[in-house]
């Protein structure tokens, strides 16, 4: 049996990056009944850089839950819960804070990138700065062994592993070191934004959302960044940093050629033609559009069904949070025992 944990910040609806980076894998892992899966909506973490916009975080809890359910996460198999309903996570974080130095956090590459991205400069909120420690609490509270993530999260998992090792060495060997599970395909590890930016991210506004309408999807694909030197159809095209081809790497299968572009057998043939010249961006974009429309239509339909029954959605979050809380309480109890601070 493996214990698997993953989560998302309720800072917006979920997008294609989440889907290929982690969601699709979670649905796959869920189908193995030997796995025990925890899925957290990280509202407390989202507050660390959105504390001045509580409504954004609050409203997006529902949106993320709808995205989960419409992608096929099954609340009868996976425990879906809200981070702030598990106060034990804060207590664990507080003890783990002693095991991490300020300079180690400053060296964390994800923290560095995100501080820059958010324009904090010298005014980084302490809560934001320390969120990798709370993420270690989120993971270890459930003794999670596997964490399916995109590659922006690797430094976070490494930080969690270090905390576990320090704790186990100092006190008692009770915490489990987590392992990151990256997507099989590199394009999926960090899907770029439609603007060609290195990462599709809610905060950068360069996303195709799972809930976008067919019209929004095709408009966004038409506006996508390709090869700026590919001006005439006859010009040779480049694949490096060509977002449309990166998306094809993430989504395209041979069967899609038979359905939508039968003059080619596979993606390699299409790429070769593009590089040679004589293949227009509009043909490639149209092909990507067909694939994404087909992939996202059933998700959108399910989402519409669930959004008619929000009471049901909230009841899932409530019972998931109760279950998660009782498990985190057991871990906290053994952590305190290991540290020798259970006084009575
Ligand atoms: P924010 O901008 O608020 O940080 P985000 O878009 O980065 O939002 P998160 O909630 O931080 O999304 O990430 C949730 C999960 O999705 C993480 O496992 C992360 O690695 C993965 N993920 C996010 N964006 C991408 C992406 N573009 N490609 C692959 N995986 C991604
Ligand atoms: Mg993020």
């Amino acid at each position: 049996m493996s214990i698997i944990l993953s989560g998302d910040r309720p800072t917006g609806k979920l997008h294609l990056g989440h889907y290929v980076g982690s969601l699709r894998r979670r649905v796959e892992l869920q189908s193995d009944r030997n796995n025990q899966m925890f899925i957290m909506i990280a509202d407390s973490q989202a507050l660390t850089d959105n504390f001045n916009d509580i409504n954004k975080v609050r409203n997006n809890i529902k949106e993320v839950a709808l995205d989960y359910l419409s992608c096929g996460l099954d609340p009868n198999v996976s425990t879906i819960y809200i981070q702030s309903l598990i106060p034990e996570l804060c207590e664990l974080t507080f003890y783990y804070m002693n095991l991490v130095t300020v300079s180690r956090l400053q060296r964390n590459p994800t923290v560095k990138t995100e501080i820059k991205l958010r324009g904090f400069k010298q005014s980084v909120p302490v809560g934001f700065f320390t969120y990798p420690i709370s993420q270690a609490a989120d993971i270890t509270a459930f003794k999670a062994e596997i964490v399916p993530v995109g590659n922006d999260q690797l430094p976070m998992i490494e930080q969690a592993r270090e905390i576990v090792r320090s704790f186990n060495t100092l006190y008692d060997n009770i915490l489990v070191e987590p392992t990151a599970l990256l997507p099989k395909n590199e394009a999926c590890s960090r899907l770029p934004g439609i603007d060609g930016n290195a990462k599709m991210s809610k905060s950068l506004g360069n996303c195709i959302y799972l809930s976008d309408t067919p019209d929004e999807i095709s408009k966004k694909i038409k506006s996508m960044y390709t090869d700026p030197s590919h001006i005439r159809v006859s010009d040779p095209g480049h694949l490096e940093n060509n977002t449309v081809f990166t998306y094809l790497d993430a989504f395209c299968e041979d069967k899609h050629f038979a359905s939508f572009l039968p003059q080619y057998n596979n993606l390699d043939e299409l790429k070769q033609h593009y590089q040679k010249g004589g293949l227009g961006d509009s043909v490639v974009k149209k092909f990507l559009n067909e694939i994404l429309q087909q992939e996202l239509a059933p998700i959108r339909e399910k989402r519409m069904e669930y959004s008619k029954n929000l009471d049901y959605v909230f009841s899932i979050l409530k019972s998931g949070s109760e279950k998660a809380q009782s498990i985190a309480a057991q871990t906290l109890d053994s952590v305190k025992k290991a540290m020798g601070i259970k006084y009575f």
Side-chain angles (χ1 to χ4, degrees):
M1 186 196 79
S2 294
I3 302 180
I4 299 162
L5 181 136
S6 60
D8 305 274
R9 295 150 42 91
T11 49
K13 294 175 177 177
L14 298 186
H15 53 64
L16 291 184
H18 298 116
Y19 186 65
V20 296
S22 162
L23 267 178
R24 205 160 54 171
R25 186 55 87 68
R26 294 182 213 173
V27 175
E28 233 173 81
L29 290 165
Q30 172 188 259
S31 62
D32 180 344
R33 293 300 154 105
N34 288 318
N35 291 333
Q36 199 184 350
M37 179 114 83
F38 294 94
I39 298 167
M40 183 180 82
I41 303 183
D43 63 332
S44 314
Q45 190 192 113
L47 286 176
T48 64
D49 55 327
N50 291 281
F51 48 86
N52 51 1
D53 194 357
I54 303 271
N55 274 338
K56 171 172 157 190
V57 174
R58 192 188 158 85
N59 295 336
N60 278 308
I61 290 176
K62 172 190 81 191
E63 302 297 340
V64 170
L66 284 171
D67 286 326
Y68 285 165
L69 296 172
S70 51
C71 283
L73 289 175
D74 178 353
N76 295 313
V77 182
S78 301
T79 307
I80 305 176
Y81 60 98
I82 302 176
Q83 185 184 24
S84 67
L85 293 181
I86 326 289
E88 285 77 5
L89 299 176
C90 299
E91 207 173 331
L92 284 174
T93 304
F94 197 66
Y95 300 132
Y96 294 170
M97 279 183 170
N98 302 328
L99 309 177
V100 182
T101 63
V102 172
S103 66
R104 175 63 184 89
L105 278 179
Q106 278 167 336
R107 281 199 310 275
N108 183 313
T110 308
V111 174
K112 273 201 216 161
T113 316
E114 296 198 339
I115 285 176
K116 215 187 221 165
L117 186 82
R118 285 162 178 76
F120 285 139
K121 300 213 167 92
Q122 295 310 309
S123 311
V124 187
V126 173
F128 184 82
F129 182 60
T130 56
Y131 93 76
I133 306 177
S134 85
Q135 211 161 305
D138 300 333
I139 297 169
T140 54
F142 298 93
K143 302 206 155 58
E145 301 157 279
I146 296 172
V147 189
V149 284
N151 76 0
D152 62 311
Q153 289 298 310
L154 285 181
M156 296 295 160
I157 308 298
E158 190 46 42
Q159 183 107 52
R161 290 166 64 88
E162 285 174 26
I163 291 173
V164 168
R165 286 198 291 267
S166 300
F167 185 97
N168 286 351
T169 311
L170 255 177
Y171 303 118
D172 194 4
N173 201 9
I174 59 160
L175 297 180
V176 177
E177 263 188 64
T179 308
L181 184 65
L182 286 178
K184 296 165 197 154
N185 165 336
E186 214 191 306
C188 301
S189 289
R190 186 183 293 246
L191 195 75
I194 52 171
D195 56 357
N197 193 302
K199 184 176 173 292
M200 180 178 285
S201 166
K202 293 175 229 130
S203 308
L204 294 174
N206 57 6
C207 308
I208 295 180
Y209 292 99
L210 297 175
S211 47
D212 276 349
T213 63
D215 201 38
E216 283 166 332
I217 297 169
S218 45
K219 276 201 186 112
K220 287 181 182 177
I221 292 176
K222 278 193 189 124
S223 78
M224 264 170 85
Y225 181 85
T226 57
D227 170 11
S229 69
H230 189 233
I231 296 162
R232 282 177 299 268
V233 172
S234 56
D235 290 339
H238 297 89
L239 302 176
E240 304 75 46
N241 303 321
N242 188 322
T243 318
V244 177
F245 276 96
T246 311
Y247 283 29
L248 287 176
D249 282 332
F251 286 97
C252 175
E253 294 169 39
D254 290 352
K255 67 172 189 200
H256 293 128
F257 286 95
S259 314
F260 306 125
L261 208 56
Q263 51 276 47
Y264 304 91
N265 289 308
N266 54 46
L267 192 51
D268 284 340
E269 284 184 17
L270 188 76
K271 284 179 175 173
Q272 274 164 22
H273 190 182
Y274 189 78
Q275 286 173 303
K276 207 169 90 203
L279 176 58
D281 281 340
S282 60
V283 176
V284 189
K285 285 184 171 178
K286 186 165 174 280
F287 180 49
L288 176 65
N289 185 49
E290 306 272 20
I291 296 173
L292 288 183
Q293 296 288 359
Q294 189 182 58
E295 185 93 11
L296 296 180
I299 297 178
R300 190 182 323 110
E301 269 161 39
K302 273 206 206 160
R303 203 179 199 280
M304 246 136 69
E305 284 311 305
Y306 283 116
S307 56
K308 287 184 202 145
N309 198 351
L310 289 177
D311 285 349
Y312 170 67
V313 176
F314 285 116
S315 75
I316 289 169
L317 296 179
K318 187 164 183 285
S319 60
S321 300
E322 282 160 6
K323 182 174 168 202
Q325 191 267 332
S326 75
I327 296 171
Q330 287 168 29
T331 305
L332 177 63
D333 195 64
S334 50
V335 159
K336 290 175 89 169
K337 263 192 209 125
M339 293 174 70
I341 55 169
K342 272 205 75 88
Y343 302 117
F344 309 109

